[in-house]
């Protein structure tokens, strides 16, 4: 009984090691790919916190500074400094809250939306160029086939 299960265990261990190696390789490649894509950013010299606020406003729509601070897990004073910097860059605008005049509703400016769109296009163009020049036709098909698998891993 022990002899029968031992080869099975060794086979499972080898499979597990292989999966662990794939996971390690994939994890180590995500960072450099993200850095390369980030290098193509055209939003300027924004801090990670400023970028997070812009992306949150884009994804979730307008919000108050207090709501943004809570969502980003930071003090309202810190969020105030971020918002001021984004307003100075012409990326965020504020309007009075119609239901509470003491509050300001923050939203992205048209110029910011245009920069976001250009930024994404630049990233896609770079990645498409890299895929086309660095991968063979067969490798491109292999990469395309893996997209659904990556989506499943990411939970989408």
């Amino acid at each position: 009984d022990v002899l029968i299960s031992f080869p099975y265990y060794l086979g499972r261990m080898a499979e597990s090691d292989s999966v662990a190696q794939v996971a390690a390789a994939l994890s180590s490649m995500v960072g450099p790919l993200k850095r390369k894509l980030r290098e193509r950013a055209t939003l300027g010299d924004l801090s990670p916190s400023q970028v997070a606020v812009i992306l949150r406003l884009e994804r979730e729509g307008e919000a108050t500074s207090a709501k943004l601070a809570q969502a980003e897990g930071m003090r309202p004073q810190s969020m105030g400094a971020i918002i001021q910097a984004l307003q100075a860059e012409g990326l965020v605008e504020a309007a009075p809250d119609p239901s509470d005049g003491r509050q300001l509703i923050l939203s992205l400016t048209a110029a910011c939306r245009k920069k976001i769109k250009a930024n994404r296009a630049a990233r896609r163009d770079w990645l498409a160029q890299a895929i086309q020049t660095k991968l063979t036709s067969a490798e491109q098909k292999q990469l395309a086939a893996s997209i659904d698998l990556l989506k499943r891993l990411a939970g989408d």
Side-chain angles (χ1 to χ4, degrees):
D1 190 44
V2 172
L3 291 176
I4 293 173
S5 62
F6 188 69
Y8 172 78
Y9 175 76
L10 284 178
R12 297 291 295 167
M13 188 172 74
E15 181 180 313
S16 172
D17 288 347
S18 174
V19 169
Q21 289 172 348
V22 169
L26 184 58
S27 294
S28 70
M29 290 312 303
V30 169
L33 180 59
K34 283 180 73 173
R35 276 190 294 283
K36 289 214 178 247
L37 289 169
R38 206 176 301 128
E39 288 170 5
R40 274 62 190 175
T42 58
L43 286 176
D45 292 331
L46 299 179
S47 71
S49 296
Q50 291 169 330
V51 171
V53 168
I54 287 173
L55 294 177
R56 184 171 297 279
L57 285 171
E58 181 197 28
R59 187 176 54 249
E60 297 176 10
E62 57 188 27
T64 64
S65 182
K67 183 178 174 185
L68 288 170
Q70 181 181 20
E72 293 296 324
M74 63 175 57
R75 296 186 340 245
Q77 297 85 349
S78 300
M79 181 56 69
I82 291 169
I83 296 302
Q84 285 179 338
L86 292 173
Q87 285 178 305
E89 291 289 323
L91 301 174
V92 170
E93 57 192 358
D97 184 340
S99 62
D100 181 355
R102 299 169 296 165
Q103 294 275 347
L104 291 175
I105 300 291
L106 303 164
S107 60
L108 300 179
T109 63
C112 183
R113 291 184 187 284
K114 186 176 178 180
K115 284 184 177 190
I116 291 169
K117 188 175 180 180
N119 183 24
R120 289 190 177 134
R123 289 176 179 199
R124 275 192 308 273
D125 290 349
W126 172 82
L127 190 53
Q129 180 72 21
I131 290 169
Q132 193 171 27
T133 60
K134 294 183 178 189
L135 301 180
T136 66
S137 180
E139 290 170 329
Q140 290 175 31
K141 288 177 184 171
Q142 199 175 6
L143 181 61
S146 69
I147 299 299
D148 286 336
L149 298 176
L150 292 170
K151 282 181 180 178
R152 283 184 20 215
L153 286 175
D156 291 344

